[in-house]
Structure formats: structure tokens, C-alpha cells
PDB file of all heavy atoms in Angstrom:
ATOM      1  N   HIS A   1       2.617 -62.634  23.614  1.00  0.00           N
ATOM      2  CA  HIS A   1       2.410 -64.040  24.014  1.00  0.00           C
ATOM      3  C   HIS A   1       1.495 -64.742  23.017  1.00  0.00           C
ATOM      4  O   HIS A   1       1.737 -65.906  22.644  1.00  0.00           O
ATOM      5  CB  HIS A   1       1.811 -64.098  25.417  1.00  0.00           C
ATOM      6  CG  HIS A   1       1.473 -65.495  25.861  1.00  0.00           C
ATOM      7  ND1 HIS A   1       2.432 -66.428  26.196  1.00  0.00           N
ATOM      8  CD2 HIS A   1       0.265 -66.128  25.993  1.00  0.00           C
ATOM      9  CE1 HIS A   1       1.845 -67.562  26.521  1.00  0.00           C
ATOM     10  NE2 HIS A   1       0.531 -67.411  26.414  1.00  0.00           N
ATOM     11  N   LEU A   2       0.457 -64.021  22.578  1.00  0.00           N
ATOM     12  CA  LEU A   2      -0.456 -64.577  21.581  1.00  0.00           C
ATOM     13  C   LEU A   2       0.293 -64.934  20.300  1.00  0.00           C
ATOM     14  O   LEU A   2       0.083 -66.001  19.719  1.00  0.00           O
ATOM     15  CB  LEU A   2      -1.552 -63.552  21.289  1.00  0.00           C
ATOM     16  CG  LEU A   2      -2.695 -63.998  20.381  1.00  0.00           C
ATOM     17  CD1 LEU A   2      -3.589 -64.996  21.099  1.00  0.00           C
ATOM     18  CD2 LEU A   2      -3.516 -62.793  19.929  1.00  0.00           C
ATOM     19  N   LEU A   3       1.188 -64.040  19.876  1.00  0.00           N
ATOM     20  CA  LEU A   3       1.959 -64.290  18.658  1.00  0.00           C
ATOM     21  C   LEU A   3       2.975 -65.409  18.862  1.00  0.00           C
ATOM     22  O   LEU A   3       3.221 -66.209  17.954  1.00  0.00           O
ATOM     23  CB  LEU A   3       2.669 -62.995  18.222  1.00  0.00           C
ATOM     24  CG  LEU A   3       1.758 -61.811  17.872  1.00  0.00           C
ATOM     25  CD1 LEU A   3       2.592 -60.570  17.552  1.00  0.00           C
ATOM     26  CD2 LEU A   3       0.848 -62.151  16.698  1.00  0.00           C
ATOM     27  N   GLN A   4       3.562 -65.471  20.059  1.00  0.00           N
ATOM     28  CA  GLN A   4       4.535 -66.529  20.357  1.00  0.00           C
ATOM     29  C   GLN A   4       3.902 -67.908  20.263  1.00  0.00           C
ATOM     30  O   GLN A   4       4.532 -68.866  19.790  1.00  0.00           O
ATOM     31  CB  GLN A   4       5.117 -66.329  21.762  1.00  0.00           C
ATOM     32  CG  GLN A   4       6.047 -65.136  21.917  1.00  0.00           C
ATOM     33  CD  GLN A   4       7.470 -65.430  21.481  1.00  0.00           C
ATOM     34  OE1 GLN A   4       7.742 -66.459  20.876  1.00  0.00           O
ATOM     35  NE2 GLN A   4       8.382 -64.511  21.780  1.00  0.00           N
ATOM     36  N   THR A   5       2.653 -68.036  20.717  1.00  0.00           N
ATOM     37  CA  THR A   5       2.002 -69.348  20.708  1.00  0.00           C
ATOM     38  C   THR A   5       1.813 -69.870  19.290  1.00  0.00           C
ATOM     39  O   THR A   5       1.710 -71.086  19.079  1.00  0.00           O
ATOM     40  CB  THR A   5       0.631 -69.287  21.406  1.00  0.00           C
ATOM     41  OG1 THR A   5      -0.215 -68.344  20.720  1.00  0.00           O
ATOM     42  CG2 THR A   5       0.775 -68.861  22.863  1.00  0.00           C
ATOM     43  N   LEU A   6       1.752 -68.961  18.302  1.00  0.00           N
ATOM     44  CA  LEU A   6       1.577 -69.394  16.918  1.00  0.00           C
ATOM     45  C   LEU A   6       2.787 -70.165  16.411  1.00  0.00           C
ATOM     46  O   LEU A   6       2.680 -70.939  15.451  1.00  0.00           O
ATOM     47  CB  LEU A   6       1.316 -68.182  16.011  1.00  0.00           C
ATOM     48  CG  LEU A   6       0.048 -67.377  16.304  1.00  0.00           C
ATOM     49  CD1 LEU A   6      -0.045 -66.189  15.347  1.00  0.00           C
ATOM     50  CD2 LEU A   6      -1.200 -68.247  16.181  1.00  0.00           C
ATOM     51  N   SER A   7       3.939 -69.951  17.026  1.00  0.00           N
ATOM     52  CA  SER A   7       5.164 -70.630  16.586  1.00  0.00           C
ATOM     53  C   SER A   7       5.194 -72.096  17.000  1.00  0.00           C
ATOM     54  O   SER A   7       6.004 -72.867  16.480  1.00  0.00           O
ATOM     55  CB  SER A   7       6.390 -69.922  17.168  1.00  0.00           C
ATOM     56  OG  SER A   7       6.413 -68.562  16.800  1.00  0.00           O
ATOM     57  N   ASN A   8       4.311 -72.464  17.926  1.00  0.00           N
ATOM     58  CA  ASN A   8       4.375 -73.818  18.500  1.00  0.00           C
ATOM     59  C   ASN A   8       3.408 -74.799  17.864  1.00  0.00           C
ATOM     60  O   ASN A   8       3.352 -75.971  18.262  1.00  0.00           O
ATOM     61  CB  ASN A   8       4.102 -73.739  20.010  1.00  0.00           C
ATOM     62  CG  ASN A   8       5.077 -72.807  20.718  1.00  0.00           C
ATOM     63  OD1 ASN A   8       6.240 -72.744  20.355  1.00  0.00           O
ATOM     64  ND2 ASN A   8       4.586 -72.077  21.717  1.00  0.00           N
ATOM     65  N   SER A   9       2.605 -74.349  16.903  1.00  0.00           N
ATOM     66  CA  SER A   9       1.608 -75.227  16.273  1.00  0.00           C
ATOM     67  C   SER A   9       1.826 -75.266  14.767  1.00  0.00           C
ATOM     68  O   SER A   9       2.273 -74.272  14.170  1.00  0.00           O
ATOM     69  CB  SER A   9       0.188 -74.739  16.573  1.00  0.00           C
ATOM     70  OG  SER A   9      -0.043 -74.722  17.963  1.00  0.00           O
ATOM     71  N   TYR A  10       1.471 -76.395  14.164  1.00  0.00           N
ATOM     72  CA  TYR A  10       1.724 -76.588  12.729  1.00  0.00           C
ATOM     73  C   TYR A  10       0.505 -77.186  12.045  1.00  0.00           C
ATOM     74  O   TYR A  10      -0.243 -77.973  12.644  1.00  0.00           O
ATOM     75  CB  TYR A  10       2.917 -77.528  12.524  1.00  0.00           C
ATOM     76  CG  TYR A  10       4.240 -76.930  12.933  1.00  0.00           C
ATOM     77  CD1 TYR A  10       4.621 -76.915  14.275  1.00  0.00           C
ATOM     78  CD2 TYR A  10       5.102 -76.384  11.987  1.00  0.00           C
ATOM     79  CE1 TYR A  10       5.831 -76.358  14.663  1.00  0.00           C
ATOM     80  CE2 TYR A  10       6.323 -75.833  12.366  1.00  0.00           C
ATOM     81  CZ  TYR A  10       6.676 -75.823  13.693  1.00  0.00           C
ATOM     82  OH  TYR A  10       7.871 -75.267  14.077  1.00  0.00           O
ATOM     83  N   LEU A  11       0.338 -76.789  10.786  1.00  0.00           N
ATOM     84  CA  LEU A  11      -0.621 -77.429   9.894  1.00  0.00           C
ATOM     85  C   LEU A  11       0.145 -78.342   8.950  1.00  0.00           C
ATOM     86  O   LEU A  11       1.202 -77.949   8.434  1.00  0.00           O
ATOM     87  CB  LEU A  11      -1.374 -76.391   9.061  1.00  0.00           C
ATOM     88  CG  LEU A  11      -2.409 -75.493   9.737  1.00  0.00           C
ATOM     89  CD1 LEU A  11      -2.903 -74.451   8.743  1.00  0.00           C
ATOM     90  CD2 LEU A  11      -3.577 -76.305  10.276  1.00  0.00           C
ATOM     91  N   THR A  12      -0.383 -79.533   8.714  1.00  0.00           N
ATOM     92  CA  THR A  12       0.204 -80.357   7.663  1.00  0.00           C
ATOM     93  C   THR A  12      -0.138 -79.725   6.318  1.00  0.00           C
ATOM     94  O   THR A  12      -1.021 -78.866   6.219  1.00  0.00           O
ATOM     95  CB  THR A  12      -0.342 -81.789   7.709  1.00  0.00           C
ATOM     96  OG1 THR A  12      -1.745 -81.747   7.395  1.00  0.00           O
ATOM     97  CG2 THR A  12      -0.136 -82.414   9.090  1.00  0.00           C
ATOM     98  N   GLU A  13       0.558 -80.150   5.282  1.00  0.00           N
ATOM     99  CA  GLU A  13       0.264 -79.602   3.958  1.00  0.00           C
ATOM    100  C   GLU A  13      -1.183 -79.923   3.568  1.00  0.00           C
ATOM    101  O   GLU A  13      -1.860 -79.103   2.940  1.00  0.00           O
ATOM    102  CB  GLU A  13       1.237 -80.161   2.918  1.00  0.00           C
ATOM    103  CG  GLU A  13       1.144 -79.444   1.574  1.00  0.00           C
ATOM    104  CD  GLU A  13       2.291 -79.801   0.650  1.00  0.00           C
ATOM    105  OE1 GLU A  13       2.515 -81.012   0.433  1.00  0.00           O
ATOM    106  OE2 GLU A  13       2.954 -78.879   0.153  1.00  0.00           O
ATOM    107  N   HIS A  14      -1.653 -81.094   3.955  1.00  0.00           N
ATOM    108  CA  HIS A  14      -3.043 -81.457   3.669  1.00  0.00           C
ATOM    109  C   HIS A  14      -4.009 -80.508   4.382  1.00  0.00           C
ATOM    110  O   HIS A  14      -4.996 -80.040   3.787  1.00  0.00           O
ATOM    111  CB  HIS A  14      -3.300 -82.901   4.111  1.00  0.00           C
ATOM    112  CG  HIS A  14      -4.728 -83.336   3.924  1.00  0.00           C
ATOM    113  ND1 HIS A  14      -5.230 -83.726   2.704  1.00  0.00           N
ATOM    114  CD2 HIS A  14      -5.765 -83.414   4.813  1.00  0.00           C
ATOM    115  CE1 HIS A  14      -6.512 -84.032   2.834  1.00  0.00           C
ATOM    116  NE2 HIS A  14      -6.857 -83.853   4.113  1.00  0.00           N
ATOM    117  N   GLN A  15      -3.738 -80.215   5.645  1.00  0.00           N
ATOM    118  CA  GLN A  15      -4.598 -79.301   6.392  1.00  0.00           C
ATOM    119  C   GLN A  15      -4.553 -77.889   5.809  1.00  0.00           C
ATOM    120  O   GLN A  15      -5.572 -77.190   5.757  1.00  0.00           O
ATOM    121  CB  GLN A  15      -4.181 -79.263   7.868  1.00  0.00           C
ATOM    122  CG  GLN A  15      -4.546 -80.507   8.658  1.00  0.00           C
ATOM    123  CD  GLN A  15      -3.991 -80.463  10.062  1.00  0.00           C
ATOM    124  OE1 GLN A  15      -2.821 -80.114  10.272  1.00  0.00           O
ATOM    125  NE2 GLN A  15      -4.818 -80.825  11.040  1.00  0.00           N
ATOM    126  N   PHE A  16      -3.362 -77.485   5.376  1.00  0.00           N
ATOM    127  CA  PHE A  16      -3.231 -76.161   4.765  1.00  0.00           C
ATOM    128  C   PHE A  16      -4.081 -76.066   3.493  1.00  0.00           C
ATOM    129  O   PHE A  16      -4.799 -75.072   3.282  1.00  0.00           O
ATOM    130  CB  PHE A  16      -1.758 -75.878   4.447  1.00  0.00           C
ATOM    131  CG  PHE A  16      -1.530 -74.587   3.718  1.00  0.00           C
ATOM    132  CD1 PHE A  16      -1.614 -73.364   4.378  1.00  0.00           C
ATOM    133  CD2 PHE A  16      -1.234 -74.586   2.362  1.00  0.00           C
ATOM    134  CE1 PHE A  16      -1.415 -72.172   3.699  1.00  0.00           C
ATOM    135  CE2 PHE A  16      -1.026 -73.400   1.679  1.00  0.00           C
ATOM    136  CZ  PHE A  16      -1.120 -72.186   2.344  1.00  0.00           C
ATOM    137  N   CYS A  17      -4.007 -77.088   2.651  1.00  0.00           N
ATOM    138  CA  CYS A  17      -4.808 -77.101   1.423  1.00  0.00           C
ATOM    139  C   CYS A  17      -6.301 -77.143   1.753  1.00  0.00           C
ATOM    140  O   CYS A  17      -7.121 -76.500   1.084  1.00  0.00           O
ATOM    141  CB  CYS A  17      -4.425 -78.296   0.553  1.00  0.00           C
ATOM    142  SG  CYS A  17      -2.739 -78.211  -0.098  1.00  0.00           S
ATOM    143  N   GLN A  18      -6.643 -77.908   2.791  1.00  0.00           N
ATOM    144  CA  GLN A  18      -8.034 -77.958   3.244  1.00  0.00           C
ATOM    145  C   GLN A  18      -8.498 -76.571   3.682  1.00  0.00           C
ATOM    146  O   GLN A  18      -9.603 -76.129   3.348  1.00  0.00           O
ATOM    147  CB  GLN A  18      -8.138 -78.935   4.417  1.00  0.00           C
ATOM    148  CG  GLN A  18      -9.461 -78.919   5.177  1.00  0.00           C
ATOM    149  CD  GLN A  18     -10.522 -79.779   4.531  1.00  0.00           C
ATOM    150  OE1 GLN A  18     -10.230 -80.548   3.622  1.00  0.00           O
ATOM    151  NE2 GLN A  18     -11.761 -79.626   4.983  1.00  0.00           N
ATOM    152  N   LEU A  19      -7.640 -75.861   4.417  1.00  0.00           N
ATOM    153  CA  LEU A  19      -7.966 -74.514   4.889  1.00  0.00           C
ATOM    154  C   LEU A  19      -8.220 -73.567   3.708  1.00  0.00           C
ATOM    155  O   LEU A  19      -9.202 -72.812   3.708  1.00  0.00           O
ATOM    156  CB  LEU A  19      -6.825 -73.982   5.758  1.00  0.00           C
ATOM    157  CG  LEU A  19      -6.915 -72.511   6.188  1.00  0.00           C
ATOM    158  CD1 LEU A  19      -8.142 -72.279   7.053  1.00  0.00           C
ATOM    159  CD2 LEU A  19      -5.649 -72.094   6.926  1.00  0.00           C
ATOM    160  N   LEU A  20      -7.318 -73.585   2.710  1.00  0.00           N
ATOM    161  CA  LEU A  20      -7.497 -72.710   1.551  1.00  0.00           C
ATOM    162  C   LEU A  20      -8.809 -73.017   0.836  1.00  0.00           C
ATOM    163  O   LEU A  20      -9.529 -72.102   0.408  1.00  0.00           O
ATOM    164  CB  LEU A  20      -6.331 -72.862   0.579  1.00  0.00           C
ATOM    165  CG  LEU A  20      -4.959 -72.356   1.032  1.00  0.00           C
ATOM    166  CD1 LEU A  20      -3.969 -72.411  -0.130  1.00  0.00           C
ATOM    167  CD2 LEU A  20      -5.037 -70.941   1.579  1.00  0.00           C
ATOM    168  N   GLY A  21      -9.126 -74.311   0.699  1.00  0.00           N
ATOM    169  CA  GLY A  21     -10.369 -74.697   0.037  1.00  0.00           C
ATOM    170  C   GLY A  21     -11.587 -74.208   0.793  1.00  0.00           C
ATOM    171  O   GLY A  21     -12.550 -73.688   0.193  1.00  0.00           O
ATOM    172  N   ARG A  22     -11.580 -74.350   2.117  1.00  0.00           N
ATOM    173  CA  ARG A  22     -12.710 -73.887   2.924  1.00  0.00           C
ATOM    174  C   ARG A  22     -12.829 -72.359   2.882  1.00  0.00           C
ATOM    175  O   ARG A  22     -13.940 -71.815   2.897  1.00  0.00           O
ATOM    176  CB  ARG A  22     -12.544 -74.359   4.375  1.00  0.00           C
ATOM    177  CG  ARG A  22     -12.777 -75.856   4.570  1.00  0.00           C
ATOM    178  CD  ARG A  22     -14.239 -76.208   4.344  1.00  0.00           C
ATOM    179  NE  ARG A  22     -14.497 -77.618   4.450  1.00  0.00           N
ATOM    180  CZ  ARG A  22     -15.315 -78.175   5.344  1.00  0.00           C
ATOM    181  NH1 ARG A  22     -15.939 -77.421   6.218  1.00  0.00           N
ATOM    182  NH2 ARG A  22     -15.509 -79.477   5.340  1.00  0.00           N
ATOM    183  N   MET A  23     -11.682 -71.664   2.842  1.00  0.00           N
ATOM    184  CA  MET A  23     -11.714 -70.201   2.760  1.00  0.00           C
ATOM    185  C   MET A  23     -12.336 -69.751   1.436  1.00  0.00           C
ATOM    186  O   MET A  23     -13.090 -68.766   1.388  1.00  0.00           O
ATOM    187  CB  MET A  23     -10.306 -69.636   2.926  1.00  0.00           C
ATOM    188  CG  MET A  23      -9.738 -69.808   4.334  1.00  0.00           C
ATOM    189  SD  MET A  23      -7.992 -69.356   4.470  1.00  0.00           S
ATOM    190  CE  MET A  23      -8.124 -67.593   4.728  1.00  0.00           C
ATOM    191  N   ARG A  24     -12.024 -70.466   0.354  1.00  0.00           N
ATOM    192  CA  ARG A  24     -12.636 -70.146  -0.933  1.00  0.00           C
ATOM    193  C   ARG A  24     -14.136 -70.470  -0.905  1.00  0.00           C
ATOM    194  O   ARG A  24     -14.971 -69.723  -1.439  1.00  0.00           O
ATOM    195  CB  ARG A  24     -11.954 -70.934  -2.057  1.00  0.00           C
ATOM    196  CG  ARG A  24     -10.549 -70.468  -2.394  1.00  0.00           C
ATOM    197  CD  ARG A  24     -10.538 -69.066  -2.972  1.00  0.00           C
ATOM    198  NE  ARG A  24     -11.270 -68.968  -4.222  1.00  0.00           N
ATOM    199  CZ  ARG A  24     -10.720 -69.139  -5.422  1.00  0.00           C
ATOM    200  NH1 ARG A  24      -9.413 -69.393  -5.525  1.00  0.00           N
ATOM    201  NH2 ARG A  24     -11.443 -69.035  -6.509  1.00  0.00           N
ATOM    202  N   LEU A  25     -14.473 -71.576  -0.278  1.00  0.00           N
ATOM    203  CA  LEU A  25     -15.868 -71.987  -0.181  1.00  0.00           C
ATOM    204  C   LEU A  25     -16.687 -70.994   0.638  1.00  0.00           C
ATOM    205  O   LEU A  25     -17.864 -70.730   0.323  1.00  0.00           O
ATOM    206  CB  LEU A  25     -15.939 -73.384   0.434  1.00  0.00           C
ATOM    207  CG  LEU A  25     -17.324 -74.032   0.564  1.00  0.00           C
ATOM    208  CD1 LEU A  25     -17.944 -74.241  -0.813  1.00  0.00           C
ATOM    209  CD2 LEU A  25     -17.213 -75.357   1.316  1.00  0.00           C
ATOM    210  N   TYR A  26     -16.080 -70.427   1.658  1.00  0.00           N
ATOM    211  CA  TYR A  26     -16.763 -69.506   2.567  1.00  0.00           C
ATOM    212  C   TYR A  26     -17.423 -68.358   1.802  1.00  0.00           C
ATOM    213  O   TYR A  26     -18.538 -67.938   2.135  1.00  0.00           O
ATOM    214  CB  TYR A  26     -15.754 -68.957   3.584  1.00  0.00           C
ATOM    215  CG  TYR A  26     -16.321 -67.947   4.547  1.00  0.00           C
ATOM    216  CD1 TYR A  26     -16.860 -68.347   5.767  1.00  0.00           C
ATOM    217  CD2 TYR A  26     -16.325 -66.580   4.257  1.00  0.00           C
ATOM    218  CE1 TYR A  26     -17.386 -67.424   6.660  1.00  0.00           C
ATOM    219  CE2 TYR A  26     -16.847 -65.652   5.139  1.00  0.00           C
ATOM    220  CZ  TYR A  26     -17.378 -66.077   6.340  1.00  0.00           C
ATOM    221  OH  TYR A  26     -17.899 -65.159   7.213  1.00  0.00           O
ATOM    222  N   GLN A  27     -16.718 -67.846   0.773  1.00  0.00           N
ATOM    223  CA  GLN A  27     -17.228 -66.691   0.041  1.00  0.00           C
ATOM    224  C   GLN A  27     -18.558 -66.985  -0.650  1.00  0.00           C
ATOM    225  O   GLN A  27     -19.360 -66.078  -0.890  1.00  0.00           O
ATOM    226  CB  GLN A  27     -16.198 -66.251  -1.028  1.00  0.00           C
ATOM    227  CG  GLN A  27     -14.783 -66.072  -0.515  1.00  0.00           C
ATOM    228  CD  GLN A  27     -14.652 -64.878   0.411  1.00  0.00           C
ATOM    229  OE1 GLN A  27     -15.557 -64.067   0.518  1.00  0.00           O
ATOM    230  NE2 GLN A  27     -13.524 -64.769   1.093  1.00  0.00           N
ATOM    231  N   SER A  28     -18.807 -68.246  -0.991  1.00  0.00           N
ATOM    232  CA  SER A  28     -20.006 -68.608  -1.758  1.00  0.00           C
ATOM    233  C   SER A  28     -21.108 -69.212  -0.904  1.00  0.00           C
ATOM    234  O   SER A  28     -22.180 -69.578  -1.428  1.00  0.00           O
ATOM    235  CB  SER A  28     -19.624 -69.602  -2.864  1.00  0.00           C
ATOM    236  OG  SER A  28     -18.632 -69.059  -3.708  1.00  0.00           O
ATOM    237  N   LEU A  29     -20.879 -69.346   0.386  1.00  0.00           N
ATOM    238  CA  LEU A  29     -21.887 -69.953   1.263  1.00  0.00           C
ATOM    239  C   LEU A  29     -23.117 -69.063   1.384  1.00  0.00           C
ATOM    240  O   LEU A  29     -23.011 -67.832   1.364  1.00  0.00           O
ATOM    241  CB  LEU A  29     -21.296 -70.184   2.658  1.00  0.00           C
ATOM    242  CG  LEU A  29     -20.229 -71.269   2.794  1.00  0.00           C
ATOM    243  CD1 LEU A  29     -19.688 -71.263   4.225  1.00  0.00           C
ATOM    244  CD2 LEU A  29     -20.788 -72.645   2.445  1.00  0.00           C
ATOM    245  N   PRO A  30     -24.299 -69.651   1.527  1.00  0.00           N
ATOM    246  CA  PRO A  30     -25.499 -68.851   1.813  1.00  0.00           C
ATOM    247  C   PRO A  30     -25.318 -68.076   3.116  1.00  0.00           C
ATOM    248  O   PRO A  30     -24.598 -68.518   4.019  1.00  0.00           O
ATOM    249  CB  PRO A  30     -26.605 -69.912   1.951  1.00  0.00           C
ATOM    250  CG  PRO A  30     -26.078 -71.125   1.264  1.00  0.00           C
ATOM    251  CD  PRO A  30     -24.592 -71.087   1.424  1.00  0.00           C
ATOM    252  N   GLN A  31     -25.970 -66.919   3.194  1.00  0.00           N
ATOM    253  CA  GLN A  31     -25.793 -66.060   4.368  1.00  0.00           C
ATOM    254  C   GLN A  31     -26.124 -66.774   5.669  1.00  0.00           C
ATOM    255  O   GLN A  31     -25.433 -66.629   6.671  1.00  0.00           O
ATOM    256  CB  GLN A  31     -26.656 -64.808   4.234  1.00  0.00           C
ATOM    257  CG  GLN A  31     -25.866 -63.613   3.731  1.00  0.00           C
ATOM    258  CD  GLN A  31     -26.630 -62.319   3.893  1.00  0.00           C
ATOM    259  OE1 GLN A  31     -27.856 -62.315   3.992  1.00  0.00           O
ATOM    260  NE2 GLN A  31     -25.917 -61.225   3.913  1.00  0.00           N
ATOM    261  N   GLY A  32     -27.181 -67.535   5.649  1.00  0.00           N
ATOM    262  CA  GLY A  32     -27.575 -68.245   6.860  1.00  0.00           C
ATOM    263  C   GLY A  32     -26.514 -69.227   7.313  1.00  0.00           C
ATOM    264  O   GLY A  32     -26.289 -69.415   8.514  1.00  0.00           O
ATOM    265  N   TYR A  33     -25.844 -69.867   6.366  1.00  0.00           N
ATOM    266  CA  TYR A  33     -24.777 -70.817   6.684  1.00  0.00           C
ATOM    267  C   TYR A  33     -23.562 -70.074   7.233  1.00  0.00           C
ATOM    268  O   TYR A  33     -22.901 -70.532   8.165  1.00  0.00           O
ATOM    269  CB  TYR A  33     -24.415 -71.597   5.418  1.00  0.00           C
ATOM    270  CG  TYR A  33     -23.750 -72.934   5.662  1.00  0.00           C
ATOM    271  CD1 TYR A  33     -24.460 -74.121   5.521  1.00  0.00           C
ATOM    272  CD2 TYR A  33     -22.412 -72.999   6.043  1.00  0.00           C
ATOM    273  CE1 TYR A  33     -23.842 -75.351   5.747  1.00  0.00           C
ATOM    274  CE2 TYR A  33     -21.795 -74.218   6.270  1.00  0.00           C
ATOM    275  CZ  TYR A  33     -22.515 -75.388   6.124  1.00  0.00           C
ATOM    276  OH  TYR A  33     -21.907 -76.594   6.359  1.00  0.00           O
ATOM    277  N   GLN A  34     -23.281 -68.910   6.634  1.00  0.00           N
ATOM    278  CA  GLN A  34     -22.116 -68.127   7.072  1.00  0.00           C
ATOM    279  C   GLN A  34     -22.229 -67.665   8.514  1.00  0.00           C
ATOM    280  O   GLN A  34     -21.230 -67.520   9.211  1.00  0.00           O
ATOM    281  CB  GLN A  34     -21.926 -66.902   6.167  1.00  0.00           C
ATOM    282  CG  GLN A  34     -21.163 -67.169   4.888  1.00  0.00           C
ATOM    283  CD  GLN A  34     -20.795 -65.880   4.165  1.00  0.00           C
ATOM    284  OE1 GLN A  34     -21.002 -64.784   4.676  1.00  0.00           O
ATOM    285  NE2 GLN A  34     -20.263 -66.017   2.967  1.00  0.00           N
ATOM    286  N   LYS A  35     -23.458 -67.425   8.965  1.00  0.00           N
ATOM    287  CA  LYS A  35     -23.657 -66.897  10.321  1.00  0.00           C
ATOM    288  C   LYS A  35     -23.141 -67.845  11.395  1.00  0.00           C
ATOM    289  O   LYS A  35     -22.812 -67.415  12.504  1.00  0.00           O
ATOM    290  CB  LYS A  35     -25.145 -66.614  10.550  1.00  0.00           C
ATOM    291  CG  LYS A  35     -25.644 -65.388   9.806  1.00  0.00           C
ATOM    292  CD  LYS A  35     -27.121 -65.143  10.089  1.00  0.00           C
ATOM    293  CE  LYS A  35     -27.623 -63.923   9.340  1.00  0.00           C
ATOM    294  NZ  LYS A  35     -29.076 -63.684   9.563  1.00  0.00           N
ATOM    295  N   ASP A  36     -23.106 -69.143  11.080  1.00  0.00           N
ATOM    296  CA  ASP A  36     -22.650 -70.134  12.057  1.00  0.00           C
ATOM    297  C   ASP A  36     -21.137 -70.336  12.030  1.00  0.00           C
ATOM    298  O   ASP A  36     -20.600 -71.154  12.777  1.00  0.00           O
ATOM    299  CB  ASP A  36     -23.340 -71.476  11.797  1.00  0.00           C
ATOM    300  CG  ASP A  36     -24.852 -71.388  11.981  1.00  0.00           C
ATOM    301  OD1 ASP A  36     -25.278 -70.600  12.847  1.00  0.00           O
ATOM    302  OD2 ASP A  36     -25.581 -72.081  11.251  1.00  0.00           O
ATOM    303  N   ILE A  37     -20.459 -69.595  11.154  1.00  0.00           N
ATOM    304  CA  ILE A  37     -18.999 -69.719  10.997  1.00  0.00           C
ATOM    305  C   ILE A  37     -18.370 -68.371  11.340  1.00  0.00           C
ATOM    306  O   ILE A  37     -18.935 -67.326  11.013  1.00  0.00           O
ATOM    307  CB  ILE A  37     -18.646 -70.121   9.551  1.00  0.00           C
ATOM    308  CG1 ILE A  37     -19.332 -71.442   9.184  1.00  0.00           C
ATOM    309  CG2 ILE A  37     -17.137 -70.258   9.379  1.00  0.00           C
ATOM    310  CD1 ILE A  37     -19.230 -71.782   7.708  1.00  0.00           C
ATOM    311  N   PRO A  38     -17.223 -68.341  12.012  1.00  0.00           N
ATOM    312  CA  PRO A  38     -16.584 -67.064  12.332  1.00  0.00           C
ATOM    313  C   PRO A  38     -16.337 -66.217  11.081  1.00  0.00           C
ATOM    314  O   PRO A  38     -16.081 -66.737   9.995  1.00  0.00           O
ATOM    315  CB  PRO A  38     -15.262 -67.484  12.976  1.00  0.00           C
ATOM    316  CG  PRO A  38     -15.526 -68.838  13.524  1.00  0.00           C
ATOM    317  CD  PRO A  38     -16.483 -69.483  12.571  1.00  0.00           C
ATOM    318  N   LYS A  39     -16.449 -64.935  11.255  1.00  0.00           N
ATOM    319  CA  LYS A  39     -16.305 -63.981  10.148  1.00  0.00           C
ATOM    320  C   LYS A  39     -14.934 -64.097   9.485  1.00  0.00           C
ATOM    321  O   LYS A  39     -13.908 -64.225  10.157  1.00  0.00           O
ATOM    322  CB  LYS A  39     -16.502 -62.561  10.689  1.00  0.00           C
ATOM    323  CG  LYS A  39     -16.325 -61.453   9.682  1.00  0.00           C
ATOM    324  CD  LYS A  39     -16.591 -60.097  10.322  1.00  0.00           C
ATOM    325  CE  LYS A  39     -15.580 -59.791  11.415  1.00  0.00           C
ATOM    326  NZ  LYS A  39     -15.753 -58.447  11.998  1.00  0.00           N
ATOM    327  N   MET A  40     -14.917 -64.032   8.164  1.00  0.00           N
ATOM    328  CA  MET A  40     -13.665 -64.024   7.412  1.00  0.00           C
ATOM    329  C   MET A  40     -13.743 -62.920   6.361  1.00  0.00           C
ATOM    330  O   MET A  40     -14.628 -62.936   5.498  1.00  0.00           O
ATOM    331  CB  MET A  40     -13.415 -65.372   6.736  1.00  0.00           C
ATOM    332  CG  MET A  40     -12.008 -65.493   6.160  1.00  0.00           C
ATOM    333  SD  MET A  40     -11.799 -66.929   5.084  1.00  0.00           S
ATOM    334  CE  MET A  40     -12.677 -66.362   3.628  1.00  0.00           C
ATOM    335  N   LEU A  41     -12.819 -61.965   6.420  1.00  0.00           N
ATOM    336  CA  LEU A  41     -12.856 -60.811   5.519  1.00  0.00           C
ATOM    337  C   LEU A  41     -11.901 -60.940   4.339  1.00  0.00           C
ATOM    338  O   LEU A  41     -11.973 -60.150   3.398  1.00  0.00           O
ATOM    339  CB  LEU A  41     -12.517 -59.533   6.301  1.00  0.00           C
ATOM    340  CG  LEU A  41     -13.442 -59.181   7.461  1.00  0.00           C
ATOM    341  CD1 LEU A  41     -12.966 -57.905   8.151  1.00  0.00           C
ATOM    342  CD2 LEU A  41     -14.879 -59.017   6.991  1.00  0.00           C
TER     343      LEU A  41
END
């Protein structure tokens, strides 16, 4: 059911690019800043 729900939502291309940029930014954030954001491996 969790996987099925993923089929019903969409990111615009702008949101997708925003997501990739934030994911790249996450790696360089100070540790204290990272603590307030969900873990990304």
C-alpha cells in the first residue's frame, strides 16, 4: 500500500531539480544544520 501511494503523486520538473539541488546541498551542510533535516544516506 505504501508503494502504491507513490504512484498517485508527482513532482514537477522544477521540483525534481530543486530536490536534486537540495540533496547535493545536504552533503555540505554543517552538522548542526543537518540534525534538523531527516537523514539522507
